[in-house]
Amino acid sequence: SYGWTGKWFLAGYGAAAAGVAVWMILRNAAFRRRLKKSRTGEITGGMRDAYMALCAEMGVKPLPVYLADPLPGACLTGVLRPEIYLPLSMKAEDAPYALRHELCHYKAHDNWWSVLRLICCAVQWFNPLVWIAARCVRTDCELACDERVTAQMNEEERVAYAGTLVLAAAKRNAPRMSV
């Protein structure tokens, strides 16, 4: 009912939304490609045994866990075939905390919520409040995961976990030192 103006407006909006979606997909694909190139191998030995025990304790299907260099912090990637990546430089005593954190993300389906967040940003590409909300949701997701991880820890384990988080944040923000 709006004639050619409405059709052009809708086409422009759709093209912009598709462009944002393609940009996000390409950015995530490039990150995943960089991770795969930087793989140095899977975890082995005692770390693998501890990981399998952790998966059994949490009631989670074991995911592939790779070491990568350079990588500032542990991460869960992928939606259909999720994988966990740990920095090669991570100390062996910090690995169980990082693995528990990433498994909590997986158990809460945070990788799927991330897709939904990206869809919202693509559809509402023009709305700065949606982009701000997406960043806030990502932060809340991290905080909720930390809360789930520390819920069953004693005070000493919480201090060690907090130390691991601070070191990971310092590595990511080293040039800016905004920890």
Side-chain angles (χ1 to χ4, degrees):
S1 66
Y2 291 103
W4 64 270
T5 306
K7 290 177 184 173
W8 280 107
F9 180 76
L10 185 60
Y13 168 82
V20 170
V22 166
W23 173 73
M24 289 179 177
I25 290 167
L26 292 176
R27 204 172 110 208
N28 281 301
F31 175 70
R32 186 117 188 219
R33 241 185 342 273
R34 275 195 317 272
L35 279 177
K36 286 186 182 216
K37 280 184 182 179
S38 67
R39 270 191 220 177
T40 59
E42 288 192 63
I43 58 171
T44 57
M47 189 184 287
R48 174 126 178 103
D49 295 338
Y51 171 65
M52 294 307 232
L54 180 63
C55 288
E57 174 191 328
M58 294 179 69
V60 175
K61 167 186 92 151
L63 301 173
V65 179
Y66 300 102
L67 298 169
D69 188 43
L71 184 65
C75 63
L76 172 70
T77 65
V79 177
L80 300 177
R81 289 184 306 232
E83 302 169 329
I84 297 174
Y85 284 85
L86 298 176
L88 185 61
S89 61
M90 180 173 276
K91 292 187 251 176
E93 60 267 15
D94 293 340
Y97 297 125
L99 289 169
R100 184 178 292 270
H101 180 93
E102 299 309 324
L103 285 174
C104 276
H105 278 305
Y106 177 68
K107 196 171 180 178
H109 306 290
D110 289 342
N111 46 351
W112 287 98
W113 290 111
S114 180
V115 170
L116 180 61
R117 194 172 60 237
L118 295 178
I119 290 170
C120 289
C121 286
V123 170
Q124 290 284 313
W125 56 267
F126 57 88
N127 189 344
L129 295 178
V130 171
W131 290 88
I132 293 168
R135 177 170 269 178
C136 289
V137 167
R138 185 173 183 214
T139 301
D140 286 347
C141 187
E142 287 298 325
L143 293 174
C145 187
D146 290 334
E147 182 66 30
R148 286 190 299 271
V149 168
T150 59
Q152 296 157 6
M153 291 182 173
N154 61 36
E155 191 66 28
E156 186 177 303
E157 290 173 322
R158 283 185 180 142
V159 169
Y161 181 71
T164 302
L165 291 176
V166 168
L167 286 176
K171 285 179 185 176
R172 274 194 302 273
N173 297 316
R176 300 187 302 264
M177 291 309 292
S178 62
V179 175

